[in-house]
Structures are given as C-alpha cells and as structure tokens.
Amino acid sequence: MTRQVLNVEGMSCDHCKMAVTKAVSALEGVGSVEVSLENNTATVEFEESRVPLASIKEAIEAQGYDVV
C-alpha cells in the first residue's frame, strides 16, 4: 500500500468531507481515506497497481474541489 497526503482546496464543511471520502473510497484499490477539514488534506492509502494517483485526484476534482 502506498500512502499519499493530498492538499485539497475548497472543502469547508462535513458535507465536503463526506463527498471526498465517498468518491475516493469508491475507487477499486483504495484501502482507506482520511479527510481533514482543518488541514485541507486527504490522506489516502491505495494500491498503485490497481488505482493510479491521477484517478484519485480526478475523483476529488469531480466533486468540485481542487487538488494542489
């Protein structure tokens, strides 16, 4: 498993946190997702052989947030 911390801009409430968590968790190969509103981050553990980092970023951006 690879662990990556992504900086996510635009999250401001629990709904934002849940939207990002749900979108990333739905990807095949993602083991866990921890979203922090305080730090504007999403910490993701995933299998790179099953899901590329680009797909995780796309899933977050599809919810309306920016990954920087």
Side-chain angles (χ1 to χ4, degrees):
M1 285 279 199
T2 300
R3 185 171 194 261
Q4 182 75 41
V5 178
L6 303 171
N7 293 312
V8 183
E9 291 186 347
M11 299 186 300
S12 60
C13 63
D14 282 338
H15 172 71
C16 300
K17 181 177 179 176
M18 289 178 56
V20 170
T21 301
K22 185 176 178 181
V24 175
S25 295
L27 297 172
E28 195 71 32
V30 171
S32 68
V33 184
E34 185 176 322
V35 178
S36 170
L37 291 175
E38 296 79 19
N39 299 320
N40 292 317
T41 60
T43 304
V44 185
E45 288 191 5
F46 61 102
E47 293 179 48
E48 282 186 280
S49 61
R50 295 178 68 197
V51 59
L53 183 57
S55 294
I56 295 170
K57 290 180 180 180
E58 288 172 12
I60 295 170
E61 291 170 350
Q63 298 302 309
Y65 309 102
D66 294 319
V67 179
V68 293

